[in-house]
Amino acid sequence: MHRRLHGRGALFDADPAGLAPRLVGLRPHQHRTHPYEHEHEPPLVVFTGGRGLGKSAVLRELRDAYQGHTPVALIDCEDGEFAAPPAQRPSEAWSPVAQALLVVAEQLAEPVTGAGRLQFPRLVPGLVAVAAGGWEHADSDRIRREVERILLLNEGGTWLSGFAGRWAGRVAANVAAAASGTGPLLSAAIEATLESVSDSFVHRRHQRAATWYRDYPNAGGHARRGLILLSGHFRAGGTSRQHAERYLVRALLADLTDAYAGMLPRMRRLGRPLVLLDNTQTAPGPGLIDAVLRDRADGFTDRVAFVGALRGTETPLLRNAVRRDLPEVARRSDWAPDPAAPSSRALLVSLPPLGPDDTLHIVGAACAEVPVPPQLPHATHRLTGGNPLGIALLARAAAQHLPEVESLGRLLTAEVRPAADRDGRPAYRELLARLVPADRLEELTVLATAHDHDSACALAEALLPDDFGPADVRALQARLVREGLPAVPGQFVGDPFVRTLLLLRLHHLDADHGRWRRAHETLIAHYAPPDDGDDGTPPGGGDTEARARYRLHHELALGAPDAAVAHLRDTFPVLDTRTWLRTLCFVASAPYFHAHDAEGHDFAGHADRRASIALGRDDAGHAVPDGVDAALHLRVRRLLHAVWQLADPLVLPDPKVCDRLRFELEQLSNLRPAGNALLWRASREWPEDALAGRPPAVPDDDGQDGEA
C-alpha cells in the first residue's frame, strides 16, 4: 500500500513525473512505463544529508513503490552481515562487496509482474571461486551449504523450479566432493561449477555466459584459468582484491543486461532493475559505487538504476559528482557526466528538511483522535528544524500523551513507544540513539554546551576522561561536519535540535543535575573577565562583549538572571542597537529545562516563572539595585524573561507574553532615537515570529535605524 512521504514529491510524483519514474522508467506503484530522462546511461543517484533527514525512508519507499514491478534489491551497508565473515569463513575468502553481490542478486532474482526469476550465470562461478579460496580446511557440509546458496541464483522459477532446487543440491554435493578430493581443491571446485552451469538445463545464452571468464586478464581464453586468477587476486587483498571485486560487479551487471536482451525479454520486463544501497559511507558501499562508476566511464554499459544514501554531504569517492538539491530535480536533473572524471557519473541529491505545512500534516495524522493545541505543530517544526525523524517521533509522543502533556519539553522526557512491539523510553533518548554517533554520545553530551574549540577543551579537561584531549575534540567536531551537521559559529554542535537533545540529556544525567551545573560553571569561569595586567583578549579569542555574552548565557542557564539584567541595562545607552539586540537574543537562548525558584535553584514543579516575571507580576517584590534607573532596570528584566521564554523551543508561545514583548520593545525604542527603527521593527517581528514558531532574529539592516 502506498505510504506518502511528506516533502518528497520531487522524487515520487507521477504526473508530472518526479526523479524516480524518469530514472526507473516506471510509474511508482504501477506496472506502467514512463520515458527515461537518461535512456542510454542513467546517473548513479546518491541522496545526501545528516541523520534523521529520511534517506533510509526514501529508499524503503522506493523499494515498496517498485517491488513486484521490476527487480529490486535493498541493502543497508551498516548491517552486521557485511561487517565480518560468518563463522568458519576465513577473511581471505570473504569481503563486504562479495557478500553484498550475493545478497543483491538473491533479491533481484525474485519474479516480477509478467516475468520470471532472473538468473546469474556469470556471477555464480565468480562467487564460487571466491568462496572456494577458503575451503582448504572446511568440512563438506559447510562447502555444500555455501555452494548451494550461490547456485540457487540460477534457479529459473518456472515449472522446473523444484527440479532446479534438487539440481543445485546435487551440484553442491559434487563440488564438495571434488573439493575434498586428492587433487588441487580450488581447481576441482571451479571445474565442477563450470560443468554444472554449462551442462545443466540452463538456456543456451546462459551456457555462453559460463565462458565469460575467458576474458579475465591473462586467462588466455580459458574460463577455468580466469576463475583461478580471480580467486587468487581476491585472496591477495588490497588493490588485487579490488580488481577482482570490480570484475564480479561487472559480472552481475552483465547478467542483468543479458536478461533484458532480445525482443521477448524487452516486452516482458519493463523499466530498469533497481538497486538501493543505504549508508554507502560504510563498506561495501564505496567498493560497489566505485566499481560501477569506473566501468561506466570505461564504456561498460548497464541497465541498472542505482540509488544510494550517504550520511553527510562529502566523500572523496564522489569528489566530482554533479550536485543538486531535491527541488531542482523535480522535473529534470540536467545531469551530464564529464568523460574525464568517473565520479561525475554520480548525481548527489541533498534532501532538505520538511516545511511547516508538512509538520502540520504529520502531527495531524498522528493525533487524529486527540485534540492538538493549535500552536503545537509550529512549535514542533521550530524545535526540530524540519527533521523528519524528530517530527515523526514527537507526533507519536503527542498522540500517546496529549492532552495530559502539552509542553514539548515534557513530551521529550515522556516515554514513547516507537512501535507497538517495542518498549517505551524517553523520547529524547530514542532520538539521540538515532541522531548522534553512539560511540561519542557521552562526549557530545558534555561538549554540547561549548561554543568553540577552546571552550570545548575546557569542558573536556573538567568533565571528561584524561585520554580525551584537544586532538580528540577537534576530530569530533570534524566528524560532526562530515556526517552532515552544520558548522555554526558560536556553537560546538551546530544543529539546534541535536544540541537541545544533548543538553536535555546532560541535565538528566544526575538526579541533582550535578554535571549540568559543573559544565556551565566551567564555562562561566572560562569566559570570566581578564585579570589586571591581562592583554584583554578573552579565552578562545573574541572581544569583551562576546565574552560577556557567553558568560551571561551560562549564568542564565543556571537560573541566575541578575548579571544579565545588569549588563543589558548598563549597555543599552552605549552599545549600538544591533549589537545590543544580538546580545539579548544570545543570552536569552540559554536552555531552560527545569523550573527555578527565586534563588535560581531547581525545584520539582512545572511552573515557569519566566512568564510571571515577563508580565511584571513580581515587580513589586523585586529589589532594584541602588543607584540605577529603576524603570529601565525593570523593563530590561521583563524583556529578558519574555525573550527567554518565547525563544525556548520546548514551550508553546504564550500570547500574553508576546503582547508584553511588543510593548517593552516599543517603550525602549522611545529611549534610543538612533536605534528607534530597529527596536520598533523588533517589537513587531519578534512576537509574530514566536507565534509562528520561528526564533527571534535581529532585523536586517535597511538603513533606517541610523546606526552602524
Side-chain angles (χ1 to χ4, degrees):
M1 183 175 181
H2 179 42
R3 176 178 53 84
R4 178 172 178 262
L5 290 181
H6 292 273
R8 304 302 183 234
L11 178 60
F12 291 104
D13 284 347
D15 189 16
L19 178 61
R22 305 195 316 266
L23 182 69
V24 180
L26 290 173
R27 295 171 180 266
H29 299 278
Q30 301 177 38
H31 197 62
R32 295 175 57 194
T33 60
H34 186 279
Y36 297 117
E37 181 179 356
H38 302 283
E39 183 173 1
H40 300 293
E41 179 188 345
L44 190 153
V45 176
V46 179
F47 294 111
T48 65
R51 299 172 189 256
L53 280 179
K55 302 181 297 297
S56 297
V58 163
L59 295 189
R60 290 193 298 269
E61 181 70 8
L62 280 168
R63 177 196 59 195
D64 295 345
Y66 290 106
Q67 199 163 40
H69 303 301
T70 193
V72 177
L74 168 61
I75 65 169
D76 185 347
C77 297
E78 286 191 334
D79 276 352
E81 68 175 320
F82 305 119
Q88 301 180 335
R89 181 86 174 261
S91 58
E92 63 267 18
W94 182 93
S95 77
V97 170
Q99 182 68 17
L101 290 173
L102 174 59
V103 175
V104 165
E106 287 175 332
Q107 295 184 38
L108 291 174
E110 292 301 317
V112 298
T113 301
R117 291 174 58 89
L118 290 172
Q119 295 171 279
F120 299 91
R122 293 172 178 82
L123 180 62
V124 163
L127 291 180
V128 171
V130 166
W135 288 345
E136 186 171 353
H137 302 292
D139 60 85
S140 58
D141 287 340
R142 191 195 117 201
I143 296 174
R144 185 179 296 107
R145 287 194 306 271
E146 292 181 5
V147 175
E148 187 167 352
R149 180 179 179 183
I150 297 171
L151 290 177
L152 284 174
L153 293 177
N154 272 342
E155 182 182 347
T158 64
W159 63 274
L160 290 171
S161 59
F163 170 74
R166 294 192 298 273
W167 164 82
R170 287 199 301 272
V171 172
N174 293 339
V175 173
S180 303
T182 57
L185 182 150
L186 176 63
S187 176
I190 289 173
E191 191 69 39
T193 302
L194 289 175
E195 289 177 0
S196 73
V197 174
S198 61
D199 295 341
S200 70
F201 61 87
V202 181
H203 192 277
R204 290 182 180 178
R205 187 170 69 244
H206 295 167
Q207 295 178 14
R208 293 195 300 270
T211 66
W212 193 66
Y213 289 91
R214 292 175 180 176
D215 296 327
Y216 193 83
N218 299 320
H222 300 285
R224 175 174 166 276
R225 176 168 173 76
L227 286 164
I228 291 174
L229 288 171
L230 181 144
S231 181
H233 289 152
F234 192 94
R235 292 197 309 277
T239 56
S240 295
R241 172 173 289 185
Q242 293 173 10
H243 174 79
E245 289 175 338
R246 181 176 166 186
Y247 209 81
L248 291 173
V249 173
R250 191 180 302 167
L252 171 75
L253 298 181
D255 283 335
L256 291 172
T257 300
D258 203 22
Y260 282 74
M263 181 64 68
L264 184 59
R266 283 200 298 270
M267 293 174 61
R268 297 172 61 190
R269 296 192 178 275
L270 305 181
R272 290 182 171 121
L274 180 61
V275 175
L276 306 168
L277 308 173
D278 201 1
N279 288 304
T280 58
Q281 71 279 352
T282 305
L288 292 171
I289 289 176
D290 183 62
V292 172
L293 294 179
R294 288 185 178 276
D295 268 10
R296 288 180 176 180
D298 289 345
F300 293 94
T301 59
D302 64 80
R303 295 188 52 88
V304 183
F306 281 93
V307 180
L310 172 71
R311 183 182 303 144
T313 58
E314 302 291 337
T315 174
L317 177 63
L318 302 176
R319 184 179 295 109
N320 298 308
V322 178
R323 296 175 182 272
R324 298 283 186 269
D325 293 328
L326 182 60
E328 294 179 308
V329 300
R331 300 298 169 252
R332 56 180 297 127
S333 64
D334 291 324
W335 169 82
D338 178 357
S343 63
S344 70
R345 285 175 154 75
L347 174 63
L348 297 187
V349 180
S350 61
L351 293 182
L354 300 183
D357 289 345
D358 297 315
T359 307
L360 177 68
H361 297 314
I362 293 172
V363 173
C367 303
E369 307 300 325
V370 181
V372 177
Q375 294 165 341
L376 181 66
H378 296 302
T380 300
H381 186 264
R382 180 179 70 167
L383 169 63
T384 62
N387 183 286
L389 173 63
I391 295 169
L393 197 70
L394 277 168
R396 180 178 286 270
Q400 294 174 9
H401 294 286
L402 288 177
E404 293 81 8
V405 176
E406 293 186 356
S407 158
L408 287 175
R410 293 183 63 193
L411 281 178
L412 283 174
T413 55
E415 284 198 353
V416 62
R417 298 184 304 278
D421 58 346
R422 291 183 55 184
D423 294 334
R425 62 172 167 172
Y428 77 90
R429 289 174 53 190
E430 179 69 26
L431 285 165
L432 284 173
R434 299 163 67 179
L435 289 176
V436 302
D439 61 320
R440 286 302 184 205
L441 176 59
E442 298 301 325
E443 292 85 355
L444 283 171
T445 298
V446 171
L447 299 183
T449 56
H451 304 284
D452 55 17
H453 175 74
D454 290 341
S455 59
C457 289
L459 285 168
E461 183 178 3
L463 281 88
L464 294 178
D466 293 340
D467 60 354
F468 192 85
D472 303 287
V473 170
R474 201 174 297 279
L476 182 53
Q477 191 167 30
R479 178 177 176 181
L480 294 180
V481 174
R482 187 171 65 251
E483 292 198 357
L485 269 69
V488 177
Q491 299 292 355
F492 184 85
V493 177
D495 185 277
F497 180 43
V498 174
R499 184 170 65 250
T500 297
L501 297 172
L502 289 166
L503 292 175
L504 185 58
R505 182 176 187 270
L506 176 63
H507 192 270
H508 286 279
L509 280 178
D510 314 297
D512 63 352
H513 314 302
R515 273 176 283 189
W516 166 265
R517 302 192 72 85
R518 282 187 61 198
H520 290 287
E521 288 166 354
T522 297
L523 293 183
I524 291 170
H526 179 73
Y527 289 110
D531 297 331
D532 292 340
D534 198 297
D535 64 1
T537 301
D543 57 23
T544 303
E545 179 61 27
R547 178 170 52 186
R549 290 180 195 171
Y550 292 131
R551 185 177 68 254
L552 297 172
H553 172 94
H554 293 285
E555 289 182 1
L556 194 59
L558 294 180
D562 291 348
V565 172
H567 179 84
L568 291 167
R569 178 198 67 215
D570 295 341
T571 57
F572 178 73
V574 295
L575 275 182
D576 71 88
T577 306
R578 190 175 303 281
T579 301
W580 189 84
L581 286 173
R582 285 174 178 159
T583 300
L584 170 63
C585 285
F586 183 79
V587 172
S589 67
Y592 184 95
F593 295 133
H594 231 70
H596 301 99
D597 61 20
E599 285 72 40
H601 299 298
D602 296 336
F603 69 94
H606 294 292
D608 191 337
R609 295 185 67 249
R610 294 176 297 180
S612 177
I613 296 174
L615 296 173
R617 291 171 181 165
D618 69 343
D619 280 0
H622 177 70
V624 178
D626 295 336
V628 303
D629 183 336
L632 178 62
H633 176 90
L634 291 173
R635 192 174 304 285
V636 168
R637 181 171 179 262
R638 292 191 296 267
L639 177 63
L640 172 65
H641 284 80
V643 177
W644 191 14
Q645 189 199 53
L646 294 175
D648 188 344
L650 298 180
V651 299
L652 302 184
D654 186 335
K656 293 181 180 179
V657 176
C658 288
D659 289 340
R660 192 66 188 227
L661 172 64
R662 178 182 292 107
F663 175 77
E664 300 296 355
L665 286 170
E666 284 178 358
Q667 297 306 305
L668 285 178
S669 71
N670 294 328
L671 303 179
R672 286 293 304 271
N676 176 275
L678 198 59
L679 288 163
W680 177 264
R681 288 178 57 197
S683 75
R684 293 300 181 267
E685 294 177 8
W686 286 8
E688 293 176 359
D689 288 341
L691 291 173
R694 297 186 297 266
V698 178
D700 293 333
D701 188 0
D702 60 1
Q704 298 178 6
D705 61 323
E707 297 189 15

